[in-house]
Amino acid sequence: GDEKRSQDSGLSPQQLKTVRESTNYQTGRVISEHFQDEGEMKRQNKSSDDGPVDTKPRKKRLANSGNETMHPEFKDLIETGRWGKKISNTEFVIVFLLLFIVIVAVIGTVAYFITEANKRNSNNQVPTVSPRTPSPCKKISNTEFVIVFLLLFIVIVTVIGTVVYFKRQTSTSNLEMYPTVSPRTPSPSEAPPDIPAELQYDAIMVVLENNTFVDTTPFTNLTHSHLEGLADDQSQPAILRAMSWILYQDPLDLPQNHPWLVPRFALVFLYYHWDGPSWSAPSSNWLTAQQSCDWEGIICDGQREFIRELFFDSFGLNGTIPPEINLFSSINSLVLSSNNLTGIPPFLAIGSLPALTILFLNDNQLEGSFSAIAGDLRASGTLGTFMVQKNNFNGRW
């Protein structure tokens, strides 16, 4: 039975068991959706060929690197629930007038020939009823020929004009959505100007300094210019390497007011903190021109506006869970199971995440006392599922 349900749902027997044991139906549904989403993401990544990590200086980056577009019909379907673009008032008036012309032309033609037929019938009436040979059909006159020709011409021009108009509109729309991508060397005027590193640095530092769980002491007596080139220096703290990469090596070069600037910085910090190149899971699309939502293990909302889940199950992570995990204020699920994480987790930083409902820490070497962490995990009051088995915790929950 479990094998059949596993095939039907796309979940492994262990995942089905996890969902079945959940005492909260809503939580179980969320876990099920999470496994299905992750399975689909792994199948897609398995069939893709990720490129190498892009560490080129910003000066050599091309414009529009990593930009992705969605087909307009799919975008409309997601955002409005309707398929395709809504017809404009101008298009509606044009179609209405064209249809009106066609209908008037057809009605006029039919009325004209009915009138002519009635005239001929009245002229041909005779008082006698004796049988006679019917006269042959009347040859069409020049006037009638011209009228029929003009009406047909109007109908044909109307149909052709309508088809050409809408085909042209569709072509223009597609051209705007999917511009030419033939390889060429962009001229200097086409490349976007570099975002000043100082502005990016200040924007990120404001967020870090206002977060009580982030240690900003490595930035003491440093300016943004001191950070250039530190991203590849493994002796430097992960937070300095992450800042250096964002300021001087990120192909996207996000502006200081971009909503993804800080989340992207936080992801790069985790990459360096957990030694991304040594992960057992594919990480070749990290630190590239791809959007953060496309990096392995990152699951975003449907509109790709924020990170919904960090899924690092069986990634081969080594080290501790940093308190900077609190920077991901939008996540509702944090999955760090089946890794080699050690130390006492920063449960207050984790428990203070305002949207967190699912936390998987099982199958690691974490330690601590249950009696000490219970209150910290309830800080936000939203956590509903906590998997912690197969660790080195002690005490009673």
Side-chain angles (χ1 to χ4, degrees), residues 39 106 109 111 120 228 298 301 308 372:
V106 172
T109 302
R120 284 196 294 269
E228 187 170 5
I298 308 305
D301 66 307
R308 189 187 73 187

Side-chain angles (χ1 to χ4, degrees), residues 55 229-235 241 244-245 249 272:
T55 59
L230 295 186
D232 300 324
D233 187 352
Q234 297 184 5
S235 64
R241 298 178 66 188
S244 175
W245 189 89
Q249 292 185 219
Y272 286 128

Side-chain angles (χ1 to χ4, degrees), residues 116-135:
E116 289 297 313
N118 292 335
K119 289 181 180 180
R120 284 196 294 269
N121 291 336
S122 62
N123 293 334
N124 292 334
Q125 289 179 356
V126 293
T128 66
V129 292
S130 59
R132 61 183 179 86
T133 302
S135 62

Side-chain angles (χ1 to χ4, degrees), residues 370-389:
F370 279 132
S371 58
I373 67 177
D376 292 341
L377 280 179
R378 297 191 182 101
S380 67
T382 60
L383 187 64
T385 301
F386 179 35
M387 307 288 281
V388 72
Q389 66 271 23

Side-chain angles (χ1 to χ4, degrees), residues 98-99 101-102 151-167:
L98 292 175
L99 290 177
I101 292 173
V102 172
L151 291 174
L152 289 177
F153 178 77
I154 292 173
V155 172
I156 293 173
V157 170
T158 301
V159 173
I160 293 176
T162 304
V163 173
V164 171
Y165 172 79
F166 283 104
K167 187 174 182 180

Side-chain angles (χ1 to χ4, degrees), residues 111-121 123 138 141 144:
Y112 173 80
F113 282 105
I114 290 177
T115 303
E116 289 297 313
N118 292 335
K119 289 181 180 180
R120 284 196 294 269
N121 291 336
N123 293 334
K138 180 183 177 182
S141 66
E144 294 172 339

